[in-house]
């Protein structure tokens, strides 16, 4: 949180208002990011269900757009219920978030490169889901959003399911559908939780 200037000491109500505004902004940002990435996972899943001219992938994409738009609307509406609690962010939280997100991005590219180099591109969705899931564990503390631990745990479970399907020899399209839709549902659930509960 930004500290008030020394020239104008903040009263408790000023600090509360500032903290409330930061809580609302982080909540909205979380809704946006979670729902958009849920949409991307759903589109990836849809690509495993058939050609672009088939009805099934189109239906999945339309439903995904509707769920994403509804989540963003709920998160950004002016009459949204205030969060039941204000965030208590650790020192240097923004720097920590930047580090975690950078490590996540590097790990995602490493998973893609290693999977392709090994001739196992079907592992990519599960590998990415695992990286994304694990990165929510530190984010739960850095954002003071402890429900992100559930996001992390569920995404990790989706990733493990994907690895099991790969090991069982299922088609890469099937793995993509299961991991993509599973990850999308977890992220939408987290997004709606933030939008409705804070």
């Amino acid at each position: 949180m930004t500290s008030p200037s020394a020239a104008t000491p903040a009263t408790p109500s000023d600090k509360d208002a500032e903290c409330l505004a930061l809580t609302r902004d982080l909540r909205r940002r979380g809704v946006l990011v979670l729902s958009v990435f849920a949409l991307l996972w759903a589109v990836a899943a849809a690509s495993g269900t058939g050609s672009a001219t088939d009805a099934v992938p189109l239906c999945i994409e339309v439903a995904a757009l509707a769920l994403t738009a509804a989540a963003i609307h709920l998160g950004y509406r002016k009459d949204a219920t205030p969060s039941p609690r204000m965030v208590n962010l650790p020192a240097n939280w923004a720097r920590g978030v930047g580090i975690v997100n950078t490590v996540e991005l590097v790990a995602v590219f490493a998973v893609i490169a290693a999977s392709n180099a090994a001739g196992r591109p079907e592992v990519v969705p599960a590998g990415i889901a695992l990286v994304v899931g694990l990165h929510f564990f530190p984010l739960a503390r850095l954002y003071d959003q402890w429900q992100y631990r559930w996001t992390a745990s569920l995404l990790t479970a989706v990733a493990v399911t994907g690895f099991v399907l790969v090991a069982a020899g299922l088609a890469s399209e099937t793995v993509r559908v299961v991991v993509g839709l599973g990850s999308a549902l977890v992220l939408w659930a987290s997004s709606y939780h933030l939008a409705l509960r804070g």
Side-chain angles (χ1 to χ4, degrees):
M1 212 176 325
T2 306
S3 300
S5 66
T8 56
T11 65
S13 60
D14 291 336
K15 290 181 180 178
D16 287 347
E18 183 181 357
C19 196
L20 187 62
L22 178 60
T23 299
R24 184 188 65 242
D25 290 344
L26 289 177
R27 175 181 174 181
R28 287 177 170 174
R29 187 186 311 170
V31 169
L32 178 64
V33 171
L34 290 166
S35 57
V36 167
F37 276 98
L39 173 63
L40 294 177
W41 275 110
V43 169
S47 72
T49 62
S51 69
T53 58
D54 292 340
V56 173
L58 180 61
C59 289
I60 291 173
E61 290 165 358
V62 169
L65 278 170
L67 285 168
T68 300
I72 293 171
H73 170 73
L74 288 171
Y76 279 81
R77 69 194 191 284
K78 294 195 187 314
D79 61 342
T81 304
S83 182
R85 64 176 186 84
M86 291 186 281
V87 293
N88 183 19
L89 302 173
N92 299 318
W93 66 274
R95 181 174 179 272
V97 168
I99 291 171
V100 169
N101 286 336
T102 300
V103 170
E104 179 207 20
L105 186 61
V106 170
V108 164
F109 281 112
V111 163
I112 294 169
S115 299
N116 288 331
R120 299 299 301 271
E122 69 274 13
V123 176
V124 170
I128 293 176
L130 180 62
V131 170
V132 174
L134 293 177
H135 106 292
F136 274 101
F137 282 113
L139 289 185
R141 181 183 63 83
L142 291 167
Y143 279 128
D144 190 29
Q145 292 286 351
W146 294 103
Q147 64 268 43
Y148 284 169
R149 290 179 296 184
W150 289 105
T151 307
S153 299
L154 291 171
L155 282 174
T156 301
V158 169
V160 170
T161 301
F163 287 126
V164 169
L165 296 179
V166 169
L170 270 70
S172 60
E173 291 82 7
T174 302
V175 176
R176 198 183 324 147
V177 170
V178 171
V179 174
L181 287 182
S183 298
L185 290 173
V186 170
L187 293 174
W188 274 319
S190 301
S191 177
Y192 276 90
H193 185 276
L194 273 183
L196 298 171
R197 300 288 298 277

